[in-house]
């Protein structure tokens, strides 16, 4: 880090940020530009969905952990019910996360979904139902990460609030006990 720059001006994890953006941009760029170079819908579908799937995996398993300290997954329990699972760093570590990394993570997550929605609208206007399928798959993957990480962030805040409440309650309780034990 350059000492002449104020803290927080650089990305803490530039390689992770690069790959966080790479597959999103790659899927969107290939989808948009493929009409100019590729005549096969199958190739456009496979490559675009593959890039979107790689983005989903990288965000869910790598950049989410490194850039914002969060991780989520979904399991089906023995009763056949969907159960969300969340992991997050402790609040002290979350507070030390690089703000620029976090900003890039959240904004690109939302902007990508908006871009897929806009592309879906264009496909509908142009009566290209087959291209709506590509957009639908990519939008579903984007929204799955948005929902997962948003729930994970809310769960982390709730855990912190519960921890803070328990800590305060135990401190007050011990203070009261020590005050009466002195008497």
């Amino acid at each position: 880090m350059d000492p002449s720059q104020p803290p927080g001006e650089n990305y803490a994890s530039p390689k992770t940020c690069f790959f966080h953006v790479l597959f999103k941009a790659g899927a969107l760029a290939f989808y948009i530009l493929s009409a100019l170079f590729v005549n096969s819908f199958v190739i456009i579908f496979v490559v675009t969905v593959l890039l979107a799937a790689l983005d989903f995996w990288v965000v869910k398993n790598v950049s989410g952990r490194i850039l914002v300290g969060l991780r989520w997954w979904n399991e089906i329990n023995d009763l056949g019910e969907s159960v969300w699972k969340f992991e997050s760093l402790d609040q002290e570590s979350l507070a030390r996360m690089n703000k620029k990394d976090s900003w890039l993570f959240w904004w690109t997550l939302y902007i990508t979904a908006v871009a897929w929605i806009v592309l879906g609208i264009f496909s509908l206007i142009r009566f290209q139902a087959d291209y709506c399928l590509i957009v639908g798959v990519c939008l579903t993957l984007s929204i799955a990460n948005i929902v997962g990480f948003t729930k994970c962030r809310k769960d982390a805040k709730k855990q912190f609030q519960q921890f803070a409440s328990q800590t305060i309650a135990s401190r007050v309780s011990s203070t009261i006990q020590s005050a009466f034990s002195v008497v």
Side-chain angles (χ1 to χ4, degrees), residues 81-136:
E81 299 165 336
S82 178
V83 179
W84 289 85
K85 303 283 187 171
F86 306 108
E87 281 183 3
S88 64
L89 295 175
D90 60 84
Q91 287 301 314
E92 186 178 310
S93 299
L94 284 173
R96 286 194 314 256
M97 298 299 292
N98 184 291
K99 302 289 185 242
K100 211 168 183 180
D101 287 355
S102 179
W103 181 89
L104 177 84
F105 178 86
W106 289 107
W107 276 97
T108 57
L109 214 57
Y110 292 117
I111 288 171
T112 303
V114 169
W116 285 118
I117 290 169
V118 169
L119 291 170
I121 292 169
F122 282 136
S123 293
L124 286 173
I125 291 170
R126 295 172 61 199
F127 298 109
Q128 294 179 322
D130 48 353
Y131 285 86
C132 287
L133 177 64
I134 298 171
V135 171

Coordinates of all heavy atoms in Angstrom, one line a residue, residues 81-136:
E81 N -37.7 -29.6 3.6 CA -37.9 -28.2 3.7 C -36.5 -27.5 3.4 O -35.5 -28.0 3.7 CB -38.3 -27.7 5.1 CG -39.6 -28.3 5.6 CD -39.9 -28.2 7.0 OE1 -38.9 -28.1 7.8 OE2 -41.0 -28.2 7.4
S82 N -36.6 -26.4 2.8 CA -35.4 -25.6 2.4 C -34.9 -24.8 3.7 O -35.7 -24.1 4.3 CB -35.8 -24.6 1.3 OG -34.7 -23.8 1.0
V83 N -33.6 -25.0 4.0 CA -33.1 -24.4 5.2 C -31.9 -23.5 4.7 O -30.9 -24.0 4.1 CB -32.6 -25.4 6.2 CG1 -32.0 -24.7 7.4 CG2 -33.8 -26.3 6.6
W84 N -31.9 -22.2 5.1 CA -30.8 -21.3 4.7 C -29.8 -21.4 5.8 O -30.1 -21.4 7.0 CB -31.3 -19.9 4.6 CG -32.1 -19.6 3.4 CD1 -33.4 -19.9 3.2 CD2 -31.7 -19.2 2.1 NE1 -33.8 -19.5 2.0 CE2 -32.8 -19.1 1.3 CE3 -30.4 -18.7 1.7 CZ2 -32.7 -18.6 0.0 CZ3 -30.3 -18.3 0.4 CH2 -31.4 -18.2 -0.5
K85 N -28.5 -21.5 5.4 CA -27.4 -21.5 6.4 C -26.5 -20.3 6.1 O -26.2 -20.0 4.9 CB -26.5 -22.8 6.2 CG -27.3 -24.1 6.4 CD -27.6 -24.3 7.9 CE -28.2 -25.7 8.0 NZ -28.3 -26.1 9.4
F86 N -26.0 -19.6 7.1 CA -25.2 -18.4 7.0 C -23.9 -18.5 7.8 O -23.9 -19.1 8.9 CB -26.0 -17.2 7.4 CG -27.3 -17.1 6.8 CD1 -28.5 -17.3 7.5 CD2 -27.4 -16.7 5.4 CE1 -29.7 -17.2 6.9 CE2 -28.6 -16.6 4.8 CZ -29.8 -16.8 5.5
E87 N -22.9 -18.0 7.3 CA -21.6 -17.8 8.0 C -21.1 -16.4 7.8 O -21.3 -15.8 6.7 CB -20.5 -18.7 7.4 CG -20.5 -20.1 7.8 CD -19.4 -20.9 7.3 OE1 -18.5 -20.3 6.6 OE2 -19.4 -22.1 7.5
S88 N -20.6 -15.8 8.9 CA -20.0 -14.5 8.7 C -18.9 -14.3 9.7 O -18.8 -15.1 10.7 CB -21.1 -13.4 9.0 OG -21.5 -13.5 10.3
L89 N -18.0 -13.4 9.4 CA -16.9 -13.1 10.4 C -17.5 -12.5 11.6 O -18.7 -12.0 11.6 CB -15.9 -12.2 9.7 CG -15.2 -12.7 8.5 CD1 -14.3 -11.6 7.9 CD2 -14.3 -13.8 8.9
D90 N -16.8 -12.5 12.7 CA -17.2 -11.8 13.9 C -17.3 -10.3 13.6 O -16.8 -9.8 12.6 CB -16.3 -12.0 15.1 CG -14.9 -11.6 14.8 OD1 -14.6 -10.4 15.0 OD2 -14.1 -12.4 14.3
Q91 N -18.1 -9.5 14.4 CA -18.4 -8.1 14.1 C -17.1 -7.3 14.0 O -17.0 -6.4 13.3 CB -19.3 -7.6 15.2 CG -20.8 -8.1 15.0 CD -21.3 -7.7 13.6 OE1 -21.2 -6.6 13.2 NE2 -21.9 -8.7 13.0
E92 N -16.1 -7.6 14.9 CA -14.9 -6.8 14.8 C -14.2 -7.0 13.5 O -13.7 -6.0 12.9 CB -14.0 -7.3 16.0 CG -12.7 -6.5 16.1 CD -11.9 -6.9 17.3 OE1 -12.4 -7.1 18.4 OE2 -10.7 -7.1 17.1
S93 N -14.1 -8.2 13.0 CA -13.5 -8.5 11.7 C -14.3 -7.8 10.6 O -13.8 -7.3 9.6 CB -13.4 -10.0 11.4 OG -12.5 -10.5 12.4
L94 N -15.7 -7.9 10.7 CA -16.5 -7.3 9.6 C -16.3 -5.8 9.6 O -16.3 -5.2 8.5 CB -18.0 -7.6 9.9 CG -18.5 -9.0 9.6 CD1 -19.9 -9.3 10.0 CD2 -18.4 -9.3 8.1
A95 N -16.1 -5.2 10.8 CA -15.9 -3.8 10.8 C -14.6 -3.4 10.2 O -14.5 -2.2 9.7 CB -16.0 -3.3 12.3
R96 N -13.6 -4.3 10.1 CA -12.3 -4.0 9.5 C -12.3 -4.3 8.0 O -11.3 -4.0 7.4 CB -11.2 -4.8 10.2 CG -10.9 -4.3 11.6 CD -9.6 -4.9 12.1 NE -9.5 -6.3 11.9 CZ -9.7 -7.3 12.8 NH1 -9.9 -6.9 14.1 NH2 -9.6 -8.5 12.5
M97 N -13.4 -4.8 7.5 CA -13.4 -5.1 6.0 C -13.2 -3.8 5.2 O -13.6 -2.7 5.6 CB -14.7 -5.7 5.6 CG -15.0 -7.1 6.3 SD -13.8 -8.4 6.0 CE -14.1 -8.7 4.3
N98 N -12.5 -3.9 4.1 CA -12.2 -2.8 3.3 C -13.5 -2.3 2.7 O -14.2 -3.0 2.0 CB -11.2 -3.2 2.2 CG -10.8 -2.1 1.3 OD1 -11.6 -1.6 0.5 ND2 -9.5 -1.7 1.4
K99 N -13.8 -1.0 2.9 CA -15.0 -0.3 2.4 C -15.1 -0.3 0.9 O -16.2 -0.5 0.3 CB -15.1 1.1 2.9 CG -15.1 1.2 4.4 CD -16.3 0.7 5.1 CE -16.3 1.0 6.6 NZ -16.3 -0.2 7.4
K100 N -14.0 -0.2 0.2 CA -14.0 -0.2 -1.3 C -14.3 -1.5 -1.8 O -15.1 -1.7 -2.8 CB -12.6 0.3 -1.8 CG -12.7 1.1 -3.1 CD -11.3 1.7 -3.3 CE -11.4 2.5 -4.6 NZ -10.1 3.2 -4.9
D101 N -13.7 -2.6 -1.2 CA -14.1 -4.0 -1.6 C -15.5 -4.2 -1.4 O -16.2 -4.8 -2.3 CB -13.2 -5.0 -0.8 CG -11.8 -5.0 -1.1 OD1 -11.4 -4.3 -2.1 OD2 -11.0 -5.7 -0.4
S102 N -16.1 -3.8 -0.3 CA -17.5 -4.1 0.1 C -18.4 -3.3 -0.9 O -19.4 -3.9 -1.4 CB -17.8 -3.6 1.5 OG -19.1 -3.8 1.8
W103 N -18.0 -2.1 -1.2 CA -18.8 -1.3 -2.1 C -18.8 -1.9 -3.5 O -19.9 -2.1 -4.1 CB -18.2 0.1 -2.2 CG -18.9 1.0 -3.2 CD1 -19.9 1.9 -2.8 CD2 -18.7 1.2 -4.6 NE1 -20.3 2.5 -4.0 CE2 -19.6 2.2 -5.0 CE3 -17.7 0.7 -5.5 CZ2 -19.6 2.6 -6.4 CZ3 -17.8 1.1 -6.8 CH2 -18.7 2.0 -7.2
L104 N -17.7 -2.4 -4.0 CA -17.6 -3.0 -5.3 C -18.5 -4.3 -5.3 O -19.2 -4.6 -6.2 CB -16.2 -3.4 -5.7 CG -16.0 -4.2 -7.0 CD1 -16.0 -3.2 -8.1 CD2 -14.8 -5.0 -6.9
F105 N -18.4 -5.1 -4.2 CA -19.1 -6.3 -4.1 C -20.6 -6.1 -4.3 O -21.3 -6.7 -5.1 CB -18.8 -7.0 -2.8 CG -19.6 -8.3 -2.6 CD1 -19.1 -9.5 -3.1 CD2 -20.8 -8.3 -1.9 CE1 -19.9 -10.7 -2.9 CE2 -21.5 -9.4 -1.7 CZ -21.1 -10.6 -2.2
W106 N -21.2 -5.2 -3.4 CA -22.6 -5.0 -3.4 C -23.1 -4.3 -4.6 O -24.2 -4.7 -5.2 CB -23.0 -4.2 -2.1 CG -22.9 -5.0 -0.9 CD1 -21.9 -4.9 0.1 CD2 -23.7 -6.1 -0.5 NE1 -22.1 -5.9 1.0 CE2 -23.1 -6.6 0.7 CE3 -24.8 -6.8 -1.1 CZ2 -23.7 -7.7 1.4 CZ3 -25.3 -7.9 -0.4 CH2 -24.8 -8.3 0.8
W107 N -22.4 -3.3 -5.1 CA -22.9 -2.6 -6.3 C -22.9 -3.4 -7.6 O -23.8 -3.4 -8.4 CB -22.1 -1.3 -6.5 CG -22.7 -0.2 -5.7 CD1 -22.3 0.2 -4.5 CD2 -23.9 0.6 -6.0 NE1 -23.1 1.3 -4.0 CE2 -24.1 1.5 -4.9 CE3 -24.7 0.7 -7.1 CZ2 -25.1 2.4 -4.9 CZ3 -25.8 1.6 -7.0 CH2 -25.9 2.4 -6.0
T108 N -21.8 -4.2 -7.7 CA -21.8 -5.1 -8.9 C -22.9 -6.2 -8.8 O -23.4 -6.6 -9.9 CB -20.4 -5.7 -9.2 OG1 -20.0 -6.4 -8.0 CG2 -19.4 -4.6 -9.5
L109 N -23.1 -6.6 -7.6 CA -24.2 -7.6 -7.5 C -25.5 -7.1 -8.0 O -26.2 -7.7 -8.7 CB -24.3 -8.0 -6.0 CG -24.6 -9.4 -5.6 CD1 -23.7 -10.4 -6.2 CD2 -24.6 -9.5 -4.1
Y110 N -25.9 -5.9 -7.5 CA -27.2 -5.3 -7.9 C -27.2 -4.8 -9.4 O -28.2 -5.0 -10.1 CB -27.5 -4.1 -7.0 CG -27.8 -4.6 -5.6 CD1 -27.0 -4.2 -4.5 CD2 -28.9 -5.4 -5.3 CE1 -27.3 -4.6 -3.2 CE2 -29.2 -5.9 -4.0 CZ -28.4 -5.5 -3.0 OH -28.6 -5.9 -1.7
I111 N -26.1 -4.2 -9.8 CA -26.0 -3.7 -11.2 C -26.2 -4.8 -12.2 O -26.8 -4.6 -13.3 CB -24.8 -2.8 -11.4 CG1 -24.9 -1.5 -10.7 CG2 -24.5 -2.6 -12.9 CD1 -23.6 -0.7 -10.6
T112 N -25.5 -5.9 -11.9 CA -25.6 -7.1 -12.8 C -27.1 -7.5 -13.0 O -27.5 -7.8 -14.1 CB -24.7 -8.2 -12.3 OG1 -23.4 -7.8 -12.2 CG2 -24.8 -9.4 -13.3
A113 N -27.8 -7.6 -11.9 CA -29.2 -8.0 -12.0 C -30.0 -7.0 -12.8 O -30.9 -7.4 -13.6 CB -29.8 -8.2 -10.6
V114 N -29.8 -5.8 -12.5 CA -30.5 -4.7 -13.3 C -30.2 -4.8 -14.8 O -31.1 -4.7 -15.6 CB -30.2 -3.3 -12.8 CG1 -30.7 -2.2 -13.7 CG2 -30.7 -3.1 -11.4
A115 N -28.9 -5.1 -15.1 CA -28.5 -5.2 -16.5 C -29.3 -6.4 -17.2 O -29.8 -6.3 -18.3 CB -27.0 -5.4 -16.6
W116 N -29.4 -7.5 -16.5 CA -30.1 -8.7 -17.0 C -31.6 -8.4 -17.2 O -32.2 -8.8 -18.1 CB -29.9 -9.9 -16.1 CG -28.5 -10.6 -16.3 CD1 -27.6 -10.7 -15.4 CD2 -28.0 -11.1 -17.5 NE1 -26.5 -11.3 -15.9 CE2 -26.7 -11.5 -17.2 CE3 -28.4 -11.2 -18.8 CZ2 -25.8 -12.1 -18.2 CZ3 -27.6 -11.7 -19.8 CH2 -26.3 -12.2 -19.5
I117 N -32.2 -7.6 -16.3 CA -33.6 -7.2 -16.4 C -33.8 -6.4 -17.7 O -34.7 -6.6 -18.4 CB -34.1 -6.5 -15.1 CG1 -34.2 -7.5 -14.0 CG2 -35.4 -5.8 -15.4 CD1 -34.4 -6.8 -12.6
V118 N -32.9 -5.4 -17.8 CA -33.0 -4.6 -19.0 C -32.8 -5.4 -20.3 O -33.6 -5.2 -21.3 CB -31.9 -3.4 -19.0 CG1 -31.8 -2.7 -20.3 CG2 -32.2 -2.5 -17.8
L119 N -31.8 -6.3 -20.3 CA -31.7 -7.2 -21.5 C -32.9 -8.1 -21.7 O -33.3 -8.3 -22.9 CB -30.4 -8.0 -21.3 CG -29.1 -7.2 -21.4 CD1 -27.9 -8.1 -21.0 CD2 -28.9 -6.6 -22.8
G120 N -33.5 -8.5 -20.6 CA -34.7 -9.3 -20.8 C -35.9 -8.5 -21.4 O -36.6 -9.0 -22.2
I121 N -36.0 -7.2 -21.0 CA -37.0 -6.4 -21.6 C -36.8 -6.2 -23.1 O -37.7 -6.2 -23.9 CB -37.0 -5.0 -20.8 CG1 -37.6 -5.2 -19.4 CG2 -37.9 -4.0 -21.6 CD1 -37.4 -4.0 -18.5
F122 N -35.5 -6.0 -23.4 CA -35.2 -5.8 -24.9 C -35.5 -7.1 -25.6 O -36.0 -7.1 -26.7 CB -33.7 -5.5 -25.1 CG -33.3 -4.1 -24.8 CD1 -32.2 -3.7 -24.1 CD2 -34.1 -3.0 -25.3 CE1 -31.9 -2.4 -23.8 CE2 -33.8 -1.7 -25.0 CZ -32.7 -1.4 -24.3
S123 N -35.3 -8.3 -25.0 CA -35.6 -9.5 -25.7 C -37.1 -9.7 -25.9 O -37.6 -10.2 -26.9 CB -35.1 -10.7 -24.9 OG -33.7 -10.7 -24.9
L124 N -37.9 -9.2 -24.9 CA -39.3 -9.3 -25.0 C -39.8 -8.3 -26.1 O -40.7 -8.7 -26.9 CB -40.0 -8.9 -23.6 CG -39.9 -10.0 -22.5 CD1 -40.4 -9.4 -21.2 CD2 -40.7 -11.2 -22.9
I125 N -39.3 -7.1 -26.1 CA -39.7 -6.1 -27.1 C -39.4 -6.6 -28.5 O -40.2 -6.4 -29.4 CB -39.0 -4.8 -26.8 CG1 -39.5 -4.2 -25.6 CG2 -39.1 -3.8 -28.0 CD1 -38.8 -2.9 -25.1
R126 N -38.3 -7.3 -28.7 CA -37.9 -7.9 -30.0 C -38.5 -9.2 -30.3 O -38.2 -9.8 -31.3 CB -36.3 -7.9 -30.0 CG -35.7 -6.5 -30.0 CD -34.2 -6.5 -29.8 NE -33.6 -7.2 -31.0 CZ -32.4 -7.6 -31.0 NH1 -31.6 -7.6 -29.9 NH2 -31.8 -8.2 -32.0
F127 N -39.4 -9.7 -29.4 CA -40.0 -11.0 -29.5 C -39.0 -12.2 -29.7 O -39.2 -13.0 -30.5 CB -41.0 -11.0 -30.7 CG -42.1 -10.0 -30.6 CD1 -42.1 -8.8 -31.3 CD2 -43.1 -10.2 -29.6 CE1 -43.1 -7.9 -31.2 CE2 -44.1 -9.3 -29.5 CZ -44.1 -8.1 -30.2
Q128 N -38.0 -12.1 -28.9 CA -37.0 -13.2 -28.9 C -37.1 -14.0 -27.6 O -36.4 -13.9 -26.7 CB -35.6 -12.6 -29.0 CG -35.3 -11.9 -30.3 CD -33.9 -11.3 -30.3 OE1 -33.4 -10.8 -29.3 NE2 -33.2 -11.4 -31.5
A129 N -38.1 -14.9 -27.6 CA -38.4 -15.7 -26.4 C -37.2 -16.6 -26.1 O -37.0 -16.9 -24.9 CB -39.7 -16.6 -26.7
D130 N -36.5 -17.1 -27.1 CA -35.4 -18.0 -26.8 C -34.3 -17.3 -26.0 O -33.7 -17.8 -25.1 CB -34.8 -18.7 -28.0 CG -34.6 -17.7 -29.2 OD1 -35.0 -16.5 -29.1 OD2 -34.0 -18.1 -30.2
Y131 N -34.1 -16.0 -26.3 CA -33.1 -15.2 -25.6 C -33.6 -14.8 -24.2 O -32.8 -14.6 -23.3 CB -32.7 -14.0 -26.4 CG -31.8 -14.3 -27.5 CD1 -32.3 -14.7 -28.8 CD2 -30.4 -14.3 -27.4 CE1 -31.4 -15.1 -29.8 CE2 -29.5 -14.7 -28.4 CZ -30.1 -15.1 -29.6 OH -29.3 -15.4 -30.6
C132 N -34.9 -14.8 -24.0 CA -35.4 -14.6 -22.7 C -35.0 -15.8 -21.7 O -34.9 -15.6 -20.5 CB -37.0 -14.5 -22.7 SG -37.5 -12.9 -23.4
L133 N -34.9 -16.9 -22.3 CA -34.4 -18.1 -21.5 C -33.0 -17.9 -21.0 O -32.8 -18.1 -19.8 CB -34.5 -19.4 -22.4 CG -34.0 -20.7 -21.7 CD1 -34.9 -21.0 -20.6 CD2 -34.0 -21.8 -22.8
I134 N -32.1 -17.4 -21.8 CA -30.8 -17.1 -21.4 C -30.8 -16.0 -20.3 O -30.2 -16.2 -19.2 CB -29.9 -16.6 -22.5 CG1 -29.8 -17.6 -23.6 CG2 -28.5 -16.1 -22.0 CD1 -29.1 -17.1 -24.9
V135 N -31.5 -15.0 -20.5 CA -31.6 -13.9 -19.5 C -32.2 -14.4 -18.2 O -31.8 -14.1 -17.1 CB -32.5 -12.7 -20.1 CG1 -32.7 -11.7 -19.0 CG2 -31.7 -12.1 -21.2
G136 N -33.3 -15.3 -18.3 CA -33.9 -15.8 -17.1 C -33.0 -16.7 -16.3 O -32.9 -16.5 -15.1

